[in-house]
Amino acid sequence: GLDDALELRARLADKPSVVVVGGGPLGMEIASGCLASGCAVTLVTQGPPLILQLGPHLAEVFVRAARERGLTIVQTAAARPEGDEGTPRVILAEGGVLEAEVVLTAAGDVPNTEWLAGSGLPAGGPVPVDARGLVRPDVAAVGDLAAFPTVRGVRRVPLWSSAIEQAKTAARALLRGTEAPPLDFQSYFWTEQFGLSLKAVGDLPVEGPPEYVDGEPGGGPALMRWPGADGAAVAAALDYRIPVPRLRRMTKAAA
Ligand SMILES: Cc1cc2nc3c(=O)[nH]c(=O)nc-3n(C[C@H](O)[C@H](O)[C@H](O)COP(=O)(O)OP(=O)(O)OC[C@H]3O[C@@H](n4cnc5c(N)ncnc54)[C@H](O)[C@@H]3O)c2cc1C
């Protein structure tokens, strides 16, 4: 939360060496911020950064920008932070050891639901809900902890916009039961890192190269579209100013 961000900012004032564990959007954003603060930064990642979240095309654009700004990327099968506050280090599964003055991890999140034990609700993991966010007719679960039916199966979609839409849907369902409409959620993702900004609407990750609605390949400003088999496309704006509703419209038909 904000406390972590403020503490990190204070620690970066002396420009320490930094190792970030985790090549997802948060790890990459943190690495970007540390580099911009003048630190030497190594990112430790399982597979290429961002590939699971964005797919190869967009991941490659960000990785190139990150390397150009001086990020060192180390791939490993698994990394384990070790040591105390004064001497943190990261042990790699392959046997290497990375030392740094600051080690940060952004290696995924786990729903903290143990406190539900004894309540009659599922405890100790994601809380499964129906298409209206209900665990049972009088109880809703929404946000990062809720696993709901999607085109890719019942799963969590831990994004801000997802939490908001789930909450609206569940509130209606608590009041009107099955007369309330089910969740109609279209993912919206954004990130800013290594001098690039990305807004994307639709089901990420995307495979293969995009259609260029505006701009061209190379990592410069571009408006892109990946048509989907089911008629629903993914639309993405890289360093490109566009209102989100227009990006949403692009997922339905060519702009
Ligand atoms: C560093 C970071 C960056 C992110 N960046 C983005 C982004 O760029 N775009 C995006 O879409 N999403 C982003 N996310 C994800 C987004 O923040 C979450 O999807 C969203 O906050 C989920 O909302 P939520 O209400 O489910 O959970 P939270 O925002 O985590 O809120 C849960 C609340 O419940 C409280 N709580 C927990 N347990 C209990 C209890 N037992 N009793 C009472 N209260 C309790 C917590 O204190 C907290 O206030 C980011 C997340 C992180 C951590």
PDB file of all heavy atoms in Angstrom, residues 1 26 29-30 112 115 142-146 157-164 166 188-191, ligand 1:
ATOM      1  N   GLY A   1       0.803  -1.195   0.000  1.00  0.00           N
ATOM      2  CA  GLY A   1       0.000   0.000   0.000  1.00  0.00           C
ATOM      3  C   GLY A   1       0.848   1.263   0.000  1.00  0.00           C
ATOM      4  O   GLY A   1       2.040   1.218  -0.325  1.00  0.00           O
ATOM      5  N   LEU A  26       3.726  -5.432 -11.821  1.00  0.00           N
ATOM      6  CA  LEU A  26       4.159  -4.702 -10.622  1.00  0.00           C
ATOM      7  C   LEU A  26       5.674  -4.718 -10.487  1.00  0.00           C
ATOM      8  O   LEU A  26       6.292  -3.691 -10.198  1.00  0.00           O
ATOM      9  CB  LEU A  26       3.518  -5.291  -9.368  1.00  0.00           C
ATOM     10  CG  LEU A  26       1.999  -5.213  -9.292  1.00  0.00           C
ATOM     11  CD1 LEU A  26       1.528  -5.646  -7.913  1.00  0.00           C
ATOM     12  CD2 LEU A  26       1.507  -3.826  -9.596  1.00  0.00           C
ATOM     13  N   GLU A  29       7.034  -2.326 -12.992  1.00  0.00           N
ATOM     14  CA  GLU A  29       6.794  -0.916 -12.622  1.00  0.00           C
ATOM     15  C   GLU A  29       7.748  -0.495 -11.506  1.00  0.00           C
ATOM     16  O   GLU A  29       8.286   0.615 -11.500  1.00  0.00           O
ATOM     17  CB  GLU A  29       5.343  -0.719 -12.185  1.00  0.00           C
ATOM     18  CG  GLU A  29       4.363  -0.703 -13.348  1.00  0.00           C
ATOM     19  CD  GLU A  29       2.910  -0.554 -12.910  1.00  0.00           C
ATOM     20  OE1 GLU A  29       2.659  -0.239 -11.732  1.00  0.00           O
ATOM     21  OE2 GLU A  29       2.016  -0.773 -13.756  1.00  0.00           O
ATOM     22  N   ILE A  30       7.939  -1.392 -10.530  1.00  0.00           N
ATOM     23  CA  ILE A  30       8.859  -1.068  -9.429  1.00  0.00           C
ATOM     24  C   ILE A  30      10.277  -0.907  -9.968  1.00  0.00           C
ATOM     25  O   ILE A  30      10.989   0.056  -9.629  1.00  0.00           O
ATOM     26  CB  ILE A  30       8.812  -2.176  -8.354  1.00  0.00           C
ATOM     27  CG1 ILE A  30       7.447  -2.190  -7.667  1.00  0.00           C
ATOM     28  CG2 ILE A  30       9.917  -1.964  -7.322  1.00  0.00           C
ATOM     29  CD1 ILE A  30       7.205  -3.419  -6.803  1.00  0.00           C
ATOM     30  N   ASN A 112      -6.182 -13.458   1.131  1.00  0.00           N
ATOM     31  CA  ASN A 112      -6.042 -13.651   2.580  1.00  0.00           C
ATOM     32  C   ASN A 112      -7.443 -13.899   3.154  1.00  0.00           C
ATOM     33  O   ASN A 112      -8.124 -12.982   3.595  1.00  0.00           O
ATOM     34  CB  ASN A 112      -5.400 -12.387   3.172  1.00  0.00           C
ATOM     35  CG  ASN A 112      -5.333 -12.453   4.679  1.00  0.00           C
ATOM     36  OD1 ASN A 112      -5.643 -13.478   5.288  1.00  0.00           O
ATOM     37  ND2 ASN A 112      -4.938 -11.348   5.291  1.00  0.00           N
ATOM     38  N   TRP A 115      -9.355 -15.950   7.617  1.00  0.00           N
ATOM     39  CA  TRP A 115     -10.250 -15.435   8.656  1.00  0.00           C
ATOM     40  C   TRP A 115     -11.719 -15.840   8.445  1.00  0.00           C
ATOM     41  O   TRP A 115     -12.540 -15.707   9.342  1.00  0.00           O
ATOM     42  CB  TRP A 115     -10.136 -13.912   8.780  1.00  0.00           C
ATOM     43  CG  TRP A 115     -10.511 -13.184   7.518  1.00  0.00           C
ATOM     44  CD1 TRP A 115      -9.735 -13.003   6.427  1.00  0.00           C
ATOM     45  CD2 TRP A 115     -11.759 -12.561   7.219  1.00  0.00           C
ATOM     46  NE1 TRP A 115     -10.411 -12.305   5.465  1.00  0.00           N
ATOM     47  CE2 TRP A 115     -11.658 -12.014   5.928  1.00  0.00           C
ATOM     48  CE3 TRP A 115     -12.953 -12.393   7.934  1.00  0.00           C
ATOM     49  CZ2 TRP A 115     -12.698 -11.328   5.327  1.00  0.00           C
ATOM     50  CZ3 TRP A 115     -13.998 -11.702   7.324  1.00  0.00           C
ATOM     51  CH2 TRP A 115     -13.859 -11.183   6.037  1.00  0.00           C
ATOM     52  N   VAL A 142     -16.608  -9.973  -3.580  1.00  0.00           N
ATOM     53  CA  VAL A 142     -16.159  -9.233  -4.767  1.00  0.00           C
ATOM     54  C   VAL A 142     -14.721  -8.784  -4.598  1.00  0.00           C
ATOM     55  O   VAL A 142     -14.221  -8.665  -3.482  1.00  0.00           O
ATOM     56  CB  VAL A 142     -17.038  -7.977  -5.026  1.00  0.00           C
ATOM     57  CG1 VAL A 142     -18.498  -8.360  -5.225  1.00  0.00           C
ATOM     58  CG2 VAL A 142     -16.896  -6.946  -3.919  1.00  0.00           C
ATOM     59  N   GLY A 143     -14.087  -8.555  -5.716  1.00  0.00           N
ATOM     60  CA  GLY A 143     -12.731  -8.017  -5.698  1.00  0.00           C
ATOM     61  C   GLY A 143     -11.696  -9.102  -5.920  1.00  0.00           C
ATOM     62  O   GLY A 143     -11.990 -10.174  -6.451  1.00  0.00           O
ATOM     63  N   ASP A 144     -10.482  -8.817  -5.483  1.00  0.00           N
ATOM     64  CA  ASP A 144      -9.356  -9.706  -5.767  1.00  0.00           C
ATOM     65  C   ASP A 144      -9.565 -11.123  -5.250  1.00  0.00           C
ATOM     66  O   ASP A 144      -9.009 -12.076  -5.791  1.00  0.00           O
ATOM     67  CB  ASP A 144      -8.077  -9.147  -5.121  1.00  0.00           C
ATOM     68  CG  ASP A 144      -7.463  -8.029  -5.937  1.00  0.00           C
ATOM     69  OD1 ASP A 144      -8.070  -7.621  -6.944  1.00  0.00           O
ATOM     70  OD2 ASP A 144      -6.373  -7.566  -5.555  1.00  0.00           O
ATOM     71  N   LEU A 145     -10.329 -11.289  -4.174  1.00  0.00           N
ATOM     72  CA  LEU A 145     -10.456 -12.623  -3.578  1.00  0.00           C
ATOM     73  C   LEU A 145     -11.487 -13.490  -4.286  1.00  0.00           C
ATOM     74  O   LEU A 145     -11.535 -14.701  -4.062  1.00  0.00           O
ATOM     75  CB  LEU A 145     -10.771 -12.531  -2.079  1.00  0.00           C
ATOM     76  CG  LEU A 145     -12.040 -11.829  -1.579  1.00  0.00           C
ATOM     77  CD1 LEU A 145     -13.311 -12.552  -1.924  1.00  0.00           C
ATOM     78  CD2 LEU A 145     -11.949 -11.644  -0.074  1.00  0.00           C
ATOM     79  N   ALA A 146     -12.346 -12.915  -5.115  1.00  0.00           N
ATOM     80  CA  ALA A 146     -13.456 -13.669  -5.699  1.00  0.00           C
ATOM     81  C   ALA A 146     -13.050 -14.311  -7.025  1.00  0.00           C
ATOM     82  O   ALA A 146     -12.439 -13.669  -7.881  1.00  0.00           O
ATOM     83  CB  ALA A 146     -14.653 -12.753  -5.915  1.00  0.00           C
ATOM     84  N   VAL A 157      -9.842 -12.156 -11.345  1.00  0.00           N
ATOM     85  CA  VAL A 157      -9.294 -11.132 -12.238  1.00  0.00           C
ATOM     86  C   VAL A 157      -8.935  -9.952 -11.333  1.00  0.00           C
ATOM     87  O   VAL A 157      -9.740  -9.050 -11.097  1.00  0.00           O
ATOM     88  CB  VAL A 157     -10.305 -10.700 -13.325  1.00  0.00           C
ATOM     89  CG1 VAL A 157      -9.688  -9.672 -14.258  1.00  0.00           C
ATOM     90  CG2 VAL A 157     -10.771 -11.916 -14.134  1.00  0.00           C
ATOM     91  N   PRO A 158      -7.728  -9.992 -10.748  1.00  0.00           N
ATOM     92  CA  PRO A 158      -7.375  -9.005  -9.722  1.00  0.00           C
ATOM     93  C   PRO A 158      -6.972  -7.653 -10.292  1.00  0.00           C
ATOM     94  O   PRO A 158      -5.803  -7.274 -10.285  1.00  0.00           O
ATOM     95  CB  PRO A 158      -6.220  -9.682  -8.961  1.00  0.00           C
ATOM     96  CG  PRO A 158      -5.599 -10.596  -9.956  1.00  0.00           C
ATOM     97  CD  PRO A 158      -6.668 -10.995 -10.929  1.00  0.00           C
ATOM     98  N   LEU A 159      -7.962  -6.963 -10.812  1.00  0.00           N
ATOM     99  CA  LEU A 159      -7.750  -5.626 -11.353  1.00  0.00           C
ATOM    100  C   LEU A 159      -8.776  -4.682 -10.737  1.00  0.00           C
ATOM    101  O   LEU A 159      -9.869  -5.091 -10.355  1.00  0.00           O
ATOM    102  CB  LEU A 159      -7.933  -5.605 -12.877  1.00  0.00           C
ATOM    103  CG  LEU A 159      -6.899  -6.352 -13.716  1.00  0.00           C
ATOM    104  CD1 LEU A 159      -7.329  -6.357 -15.173  1.00  0.00           C
ATOM    105  CD2 LEU A 159      -5.530  -5.689 -13.575  1.00  0.00           C
ATOM    106  N   TRP A 160      -8.410  -3.427 -10.697  1.00  0.00           N
ATOM    107  CA  TRP A 160      -9.231  -2.383 -10.119  1.00  0.00           C
ATOM    108  C   TRP A 160     -10.631  -2.351 -10.757  1.00  0.00           C
ATOM    109  O   TRP A 160     -11.662  -2.383 -10.089  1.00  0.00           O
ATOM    110  CB  TRP A 160      -8.501  -1.085 -10.384  1.00  0.00           C
ATOM    111  CG  TRP A 160      -8.852   0.099  -9.579  1.00  0.00           C
ATOM    112  CD1 TRP A 160     -10.020   0.334  -8.900  1.00  0.00           C
ATOM    113  CD2 TRP A 160      -8.013   1.215  -9.365  1.00  0.00           C
ATOM    114  NE1 TRP A 160      -9.954   1.535  -8.296  1.00  0.00           N
ATOM    115  CE2 TRP A 160      -8.736   2.104  -8.562  1.00  0.00           C
ATOM    116  CE3 TRP A 160      -6.732   1.572  -9.774  1.00  0.00           C
ATOM    117  CZ2 TRP A 160      -8.203   3.335  -8.167  1.00  0.00           C
ATOM    118  CZ3 TRP A 160      -6.224   2.792  -9.375  1.00  0.00           C
ATOM    119  CH2 TRP A 160      -6.949   3.646  -8.581  1.00  0.00           C
ATOM    120  N   SER A 161     -10.646  -2.277 -12.127  1.00  0.00           N
ATOM    121  CA  SER A 161     -11.926  -2.170 -12.829  1.00  0.00           C
ATOM    122  C   SER A 161     -12.777  -3.409 -12.594  1.00  0.00           C
ATOM    123  O   SER A 161     -14.008  -3.342 -12.526  1.00  0.00           O
ATOM    124  CB  SER A 161     -11.685  -1.960 -14.324  1.00  0.00           C
ATOM    125  OG  SER A 161     -10.819  -2.956 -14.823  1.00  0.00           O
ATOM    126  N   SER A 162     -12.125  -4.559 -12.433  1.00  0.00           N
ATOM    127  CA  SER A 162     -12.839  -5.806 -12.161  1.00  0.00           C
ATOM    128  C   SER A 162     -13.535  -5.706 -10.805  1.00  0.00           C
ATOM    129  O   SER A 162     -14.723  -6.054 -10.660  1.00  0.00           O
ATOM    130  CB  SER A 162     -11.823  -6.956 -12.180  1.00  0.00           C
ATOM    131  OG  SER A 162     -12.295  -8.089 -11.533  1.00  0.00           O
ATOM    132  N   ALA A 163     -12.818  -5.226  -9.787  1.00  0.00           N
ATOM    133  CA  ALA A 163     -13.401  -5.102  -8.440  1.00  0.00           C
ATOM    134  C   ALA A 163     -14.624  -4.184  -8.469  1.00  0.00           C
ATOM    135  O   ALA A 163     -15.659  -4.472  -7.854  1.00  0.00           O
ATOM    136  CB  ALA A 163     -12.354  -4.567  -7.466  1.00  0.00           C
ATOM    137  N   ILE A 164     -14.529  -3.090  -9.228  1.00  0.00           N
ATOM    138  CA  ILE A 164     -15.639  -2.123  -9.269  1.00  0.00           C
ATOM    139  C   ILE A 164     -16.868  -2.734  -9.944  1.00  0.00           C
ATOM    140  O   ILE A 164     -17.988  -2.654  -9.425  1.00  0.00           O
ATOM    141  CB  ILE A 164     -15.185  -0.835 -10.002  1.00  0.00           C
ATOM    142  CG1 ILE A 164     -14.149  -0.105  -9.145  1.00  0.00           C
ATOM    143  CG2 ILE A 164     -16.376   0.072 -10.297  1.00  0.00           C
ATOM    144  CD1 ILE A 164     -13.441   1.029  -9.851  1.00  0.00           C
ATOM    145  N   GLN A 166     -17.559  -5.934 -10.360  1.00  0.00           N
ATOM    146  CA  GLN A 166     -18.090  -7.026  -9.527  1.00  0.00           C
ATOM    147  C   GLN A 166     -18.958  -6.464  -8.409  1.00  0.00           C
ATOM    148  O   GLN A 166     -20.018  -7.015  -8.085  1.00  0.00           O
ATOM    149  CB  GLN A 166     -16.944  -7.806  -8.890  1.00  0.00           C
ATOM    150  CG  GLN A 166     -16.127  -8.662  -9.823  1.00  0.00           C
ATOM    151  CD  GLN A 166     -15.007  -9.325  -9.036  1.00  0.00           C
ATOM    152  OE1 GLN A 166     -15.242 -10.106  -8.119  1.00  0.00           O
ATOM    153  NE2 GLN A 166     -13.774  -8.986  -9.369  1.00  0.00           N
ATOM    154  N   TYR A 188      -9.957  -4.162 -18.344  1.00  0.00           N
ATOM    155  CA  TYR A 188      -9.220  -2.951 -18.722  1.00  0.00           C
ATOM    156  C   TYR A 188      -7.928  -2.920 -17.918  1.00  0.00           C
ATOM    157  O   TYR A 188      -7.952  -3.014 -16.695  1.00  0.00           O
ATOM    158  CB  TYR A 188     -10.041  -1.681 -18.439  1.00  0.00           C
ATOM    159  CG  TYR A 188      -9.235  -0.409 -18.580  1.00  0.00           C
ATOM    160  CD1 TYR A 188      -8.615  -0.105 -19.785  1.00  0.00           C
ATOM    161  CD2 TYR A 188      -9.058   0.464 -17.522  1.00  0.00           C
ATOM    162  CE1 TYR A 188      -7.835   1.037 -19.921  1.00  0.00           C
ATOM    163  CE2 TYR A 188      -8.301   1.612 -17.649  1.00  0.00           C
ATOM    164  CZ  TYR A 188      -7.692   1.895 -18.853  1.00  0.00           C
ATOM    165  OH  TYR A 188      -6.919   3.007 -18.984  1.00  0.00           O
ATOM    166  N   PHE A 189      -6.811  -2.826 -18.614  1.00  0.00           N
ATOM    167  CA  PHE A 189      -5.505  -2.881 -17.968  1.00  0.00           C
ATOM    168  C   PHE A 189      -4.689  -1.685 -18.425  1.00  0.00           C
ATOM    169  O   PHE A 189      -4.746  -1.298 -19.589  1.00  0.00           O
ATOM    170  CB  PHE A 189      -4.793  -4.180 -18.398  1.00  0.00           C
ATOM    171  CG  PHE A 189      -3.358  -4.250 -17.979  1.00  0.00           C
ATOM    172  CD1 PHE A 189      -3.020  -4.677 -16.707  1.00  0.00           C
ATOM    173  CD2 PHE A 189      -2.342  -3.869 -18.847  1.00  0.00           C
ATOM    174  CE1 PHE A 189      -1.697  -4.734 -16.306  1.00  0.00           C
ATOM    175  CE2 PHE A 189      -1.014  -3.916 -18.459  1.00  0.00           C
ATOM    176  CZ  PHE A 189      -0.693  -4.357 -17.180  1.00  0.00           C
ATOM    177  N   TRP A 190      -3.930  -1.103 -17.502  1.00  0.00           N
ATOM    178  CA  TRP A 190      -3.013  -0.046 -17.932  1.00  0.00           C
ATOM    179  C   TRP A 190      -1.732  -0.140 -17.123  1.00  0.00           C
ATOM    180  O   TRP A 190      -1.701  -0.681 -16.020  1.00  0.00           O
ATOM    181  CB  TRP A 190      -3.637   1.342 -17.775  1.00  0.00           C
ATOM    182  CG  TRP A 190      -3.628   1.877 -16.370  1.00  0.00           C
ATOM    183  CD1 TRP A 190      -2.688   2.705 -15.806  1.00  0.00           C
ATOM    184  CD2 TRP A 190      -4.587   1.609 -15.344  1.00  0.00           C
ATOM    185  NE1 TRP A 190      -3.022   2.963 -14.503  1.00  0.00           N
ATOM    186  CE2 TRP A 190      -4.173   2.314 -14.193  1.00  0.00           C
ATOM    187  CE3 TRP A 190      -5.749   0.849 -15.294  1.00  0.00           C
ATOM    188  CZ2 TRP A 190      -4.886   2.269 -12.998  1.00  0.00           C
ATOM    189  CZ3 TRP A 190      -6.462   0.791 -14.100  1.00  0.00           C
ATOM    190  CH2 TRP A 190      -6.035   1.508 -12.979  1.00  0.00           C
ATOM    191  N   THR A 191      -0.682   0.354 -17.714  1.00  0.00           N
ATOM    192  CA  THR A 191       0.582   0.412 -16.993  1.00  0.00           C
ATOM    193  C   THR A 191       1.421   1.541 -17.567  1.00  0.00           C
ATOM    194  O   THR A 191       1.247   1.944 -18.724  1.00  0.00           O
ATOM    195  CB  THR A 191       1.351  -0.927 -17.083  1.00  0.00           C
ATOM    196  OG1 THR A 191       2.496  -0.857 -16.221  1.00  0.00           O
ATOM    197  CG2 THR A 191       1.822  -1.225 -18.492  1.00  0.00           C
TER     198      THR A 191
HETATM  199  C1  LIG B   1       1.144  -2.272  -6.038  1.00  0.00           C
HETATM  200  C2  LIG B   1      -0.156  -2.545  -6.773  1.00  0.00           C
HETATM  201  C3  LIG B   1      -0.402  -1.908  -7.993  1.00  0.00           C
HETATM  202  C4  LIG B   1      -1.592  -2.168  -8.681  1.00  0.00           C
HETATM  203  N1  LIG B   1      -1.799  -1.537  -9.875  1.00  0.00           N
HETATM  204  C5  LIG B   1      -2.955  -1.751 -10.537  1.00  0.00           C
HETATM  205  C6  LIG B   1      -3.224  -1.084 -11.765  1.00  0.00           C
HETATM  206  O1  LIG B   1      -2.397  -0.314 -12.272  1.00  0.00           O
HETATM  207  N2  LIG B   1      -4.415  -1.311 -12.381  1.00  0.00           N
HETATM  208  C7  LIG B   1      -5.344  -2.158 -11.844  1.00  0.00           C
HETATM  209  O2  LIG B   1      -6.422  -2.325 -12.431  1.00  0.00           O
HETATM  210  N3  LIG B   1      -5.118  -2.813 -10.700  1.00  0.00           N
HETATM  211  C8  LIG B   1      -3.948  -2.627 -10.028  1.00  0.00           C
HETATM  212  N4  LIG B   1      -3.705  -3.303  -8.867  1.00  0.00           N
HETATM  213  C9  LIG B   1      -4.749  -4.229  -8.378  1.00  0.00           C
HETATM  214  C10 LIG B   1      -5.832  -3.460  -7.646  1.00  0.00           C
HETATM  215  O3  LIG B   1      -5.250  -2.629  -6.660  1.00  0.00           O
HETATM  216  C11 LIG B   1      -6.776  -4.483  -6.992  1.00  0.00           C
HETATM  217  O4  LIG B   1      -7.347  -5.295  -7.996  1.00  0.00           O
HETATM  218  C12 LIG B   1      -7.895  -3.820  -6.217  1.00  0.00           C
HETATM  219  O5  LIG B   1      -7.370  -2.994  -5.214  1.00  0.00           O
HETATM  220  C13 LIG B   1      -8.793  -4.902  -5.616  1.00  0.00           C
HETATM  221  O6  LIG B   1      -9.747  -4.329  -4.774  1.00  0.00           O
HETATM  222  P1  LIG B   1     -10.288  -5.120  -3.523  1.00  0.00           P
HETATM  223  O7  LIG B   1     -11.313  -4.252  -2.906  1.00  0.00           O
HETATM  224  O8  LIG B   1     -10.653  -6.505  -3.931  1.00  0.00           O
HETATM  225  O9  LIG B   1      -9.036  -5.346  -2.549  1.00  0.00           O
HETATM  226  P2  LIG B   1      -8.155  -4.285  -1.768  1.00  0.00           P
HETATM  227  O10 LIG B   1      -8.010  -3.013  -2.529  1.00  0.00           O
HETATM  228  O11 LIG B   1      -6.927  -5.048  -1.384  1.00  0.00           O
HETATM  229  O12 LIG B   1      -9.032  -3.972  -0.490  1.00  0.00           O
HETATM  230  C14 LIG B   1      -9.267  -4.961   0.484  1.00  0.00           C
HETATM  231  C15 LIG B   1      -9.580  -4.247   1.771  1.00  0.00           C
HETATM  232  O13 LIG B   1     -10.053  -5.174   2.732  1.00  0.00           O
HETATM  233  C16 LIG B   1      -9.412  -4.954   3.956  1.00  0.00           C
HETATM  234  N5  LIG B   1      -9.432  -6.215   4.704  1.00  0.00           N
HETATM  235  C17 LIG B   1      -8.711  -7.330   4.491  1.00  0.00           C
HETATM  236  N6  LIG B   1      -9.012  -8.282   5.385  1.00  0.00           N
HETATM  237  C18 LIG B   1      -9.952  -7.747   6.190  1.00  0.00           C
HETATM  238  C19 LIG B   1     -10.670  -8.224   7.327  1.00  0.00           C
HETATM  239  N7  LIG B   1     -10.472  -9.449   7.815  1.00  0.00           N
HETATM  240  N8  LIG B   1     -11.563  -7.394   7.903  1.00  0.00           N
HETATM  241  C20 LIG B   1     -11.776  -6.155   7.410  1.00  0.00           C
HETATM  242  N9  LIG B   1     -11.130  -5.652   6.360  1.00  0.00           N
HETATM  243  C21 LIG B   1     -10.222  -6.436   5.749  1.00  0.00           C
HETATM  244  C22 LIG B   1      -8.030  -4.492   3.573  1.00  0.00           C
HETATM  245  O14 LIG B   1      -7.440  -3.781   4.632  1.00  0.00           O
HETATM  246  C23 LIG B   1      -8.358  -3.584   2.389  1.00  0.00           C
HETATM  247  O15 LIG B   1      -8.703  -2.292   2.788  1.00  0.00           O
HETATM  248  C24 LIG B   1      -2.536  -3.072  -8.155  1.00  0.00           C
HETATM  249  C25 LIG B   1      -2.275  -3.710  -6.930  1.00  0.00           C
HETATM  250  C26 LIG B   1      -1.092  -3.459  -6.261  1.00  0.00           C
HETATM  251  C27 LIG B   1      -0.845  -4.159  -4.932  1.00  0.00           C
END
